[in-house]
Amino acid sequence: MFSTILNLRKILEDTIVEYIDVDFTLWLSWLLMPLLITFLLPLVIAALLYLTALILYVYKLHRARLRSAYETDWRNAARNVVAAVWDAHGWIWYGYKVIGLENIPENQPVLFVYYHGAIPVDLYYFISKVLLTNSKLIHTVADRFLFKCPGWSIISDVLKVIPGTVQICSNILKEGNMLAISPGGVYEAQFGDSYYHLMWKKRVGFAKVALDAKVCIIPFFTKNVREAFRTISWGRRMWLRIYAATRFPFVPIYGGFPVKLTTYVGKPIPYDGSLTPEELQVKVADELNNLIRQHQRIPGSISSALLERIYDVDTKKS
């Protein structure tokens, strides 16, 4: 056994000597060290400064709420801490704000329907804002592939994220909770573009949920969400075939651009038992499209969305 280890060690040493020039590697490291120090350390310092601003913002605005939350169930305390962090991140990085919070009725179950960006960061910020403002958590429906990701179980448990059958969603609303659904889901996230077309196909599950639970629907839309993160546009047919076969979001995503994000909350669409799910789907889609037309520049522009962080003006084309 010992001799085998020695032989393996000798083979490894011979391989390193033969294929790797140790002296050259050390020289190259010494040569590039100033560059690493020049560019890496400023990034580390910038990250620390950003983290500092995040912590100070959380403490300044939410210290009283967090202090009281610690005296309750750990999940409630954790939700408030997470919400405060996300709220701070949204304000610092995207200048995030919500217009129309007054349209959300108090002490009533509500089904929110929204446009799904490449990465739904706006949903995270919106949930955080509502929790911190109204002290009520919005339950959310997520694609099933997420529940196979490591670490997702505790997120789904504390933040009430569900895979979402019609019956489960209806029961959540009947219990007096708020629920958010994107009918386009991962398909809309992966294959949507800067023209902001709704990609719902014939999905009427959310309409069945609203009719069964007898609740109002509130649409909301976040301006520039497609400019914050985008999916690549080449190879669309290939990615469509892969998605159809796997139902997994393989299309690469790029971005993280610090554009101006503003969520617009629409007027409630009251329960109408005379409507079929298909008719209700059309009605909600029309209201959501109206929000998009009113507030979004079409096609979306990353440069214009970035400028809005400075000038905060409406760059939408009429």
Side-chain angles (χ1 to χ4, degrees), residues 67-79:
R67 186 163 54 245
S68 62
Y70 287 136
E71 300 173 358
T72 61
D73 176 66
W74 74 269
R75 288 180 177 82
N76 183 49
R79 289 186 201 108

Side-chain angles (χ1 to χ4, degrees), residues 5-244:
I5 294 175
L6 289 177
N7 290 334
L8 289 174
R9 179 181 175 182
K10 187 175 185 308
I11 292 171
L12 182 60
E13 289 175 350
D14 292 342
T15 302
I16 292 174
V17 171
E18 182 176 355
Y19 293 101
I20 300 177
D21 190 333
V22 177
D23 291 335
F24 174 75
T25 302
L26 292 174
W27 175 82
L28 187 63
S29 300
W30 173 82
L31 181 66
L32 296 178
M33 186 58 67
L35 291 175
L36 292 174
I37 293 174
T38 301
F39 291 103
L40 185 60
L41 286 184
L43 290 176
V44 172
I45 292 171
L48 290 175
L49 287 173
Y50 183 78
L51 181 61
T52 301
L54 200 68
I55 294 171
L56 293 176
Y57 179 88
V58 169
Y59 180 77
K60 177 184 177 182
L61 294 186
H62 305 298
R63 60 189 182 278
R65 179 180 297 277
L66 297 179
R67 186 163 54 245
S68 62
Y70 287 136
E71 300 173 358
T72 61
D73 176 66
W74 74 269
R75 288 180 177 82
N76 183 49
R79 289 186 201 108
N80 279 272
V81 171
V82 169
V85 171
W86 276 103
D87 184 62
H89 183 274
W91 181 79
I92 294 172
W93 193 249
Y94 294 109
Y96 179 76
K97 64 181 180 179
V98 180
I99 296 177
L101 277 175
E102 66 278 4
N103 291 332
I104 303 175
E106 295 183 7
N107 303 319
Q108 291 184 29
V110 173
L111 176 60
F112 293 99
V113 174
Y114 64 98
Y115 174 86
H116 202 304
I119 295 180
V121 290
D122 60 319
L123 177 65
Y124 313 149
Y125 301 139
F126 181 69
I127 291 173
S128 301
K129 185 71 71 176
V130 171
L131 178 61
L132 294 171
T133 304
N134 299 346
S135 299
K136 196 161 186 180
L137 177 67
I138 300 176
H139 296 230
T140 53
V141 174
D143 196 274
R144 294 182 183 277
F145 83 89
L146 285 171
F147 295 87
K148 300 177 182 178
C149 298
W152 187 258
S153 59
I154 191 169
I155 294 177
S156 61
D157 174 42
V158 175
L159 299 181
K160 305 302 180 184
V161 185
I162 59 172
T165 64
V166 170
Q167 194 57 52
I168 291 175
C169 291
S170 178
N171 289 339
I172 288 173
L173 291 168
K174 288 177 180 177
E175 292 170 359
N177 299 297
M178 297 189 294
L179 178 69
I181 297 177
S182 172
V186 174
Y187 182 80
E188 189 170 81
Q190 290 272 279
F191 302 106
D193 55 28
S194 59
Y195 286 87
Y196 289 87
H197 298 302
L198 299 183
M199 305 179 74
W200 294 2
K201 296 185 176 180
K202 295 182 180 180
R203 297 178 180 178
V204 295
F206 77 94
K208 293 179 180 178
V209 167
L211 291 173
D212 184 67
K214 297 180 173 60
V215 299
C216 69
I217 295 177
I218 297 181
F220 72 82
F221 168 73
T222 302
K223 181 181 180 181
N224 297 326
V225 68
R226 275 280 164 189
E227 281 57 71
F229 290 93
R230 286 186 172 178
T231 53
I232 60 172
S233 57
W234 56 266
R236 182 180 176 85
R237 290 184 179 180
M238 176 188 70
W239 297 120
L240 280 168
R241 289 174 182 173
I242 294 174
Y243 177 77

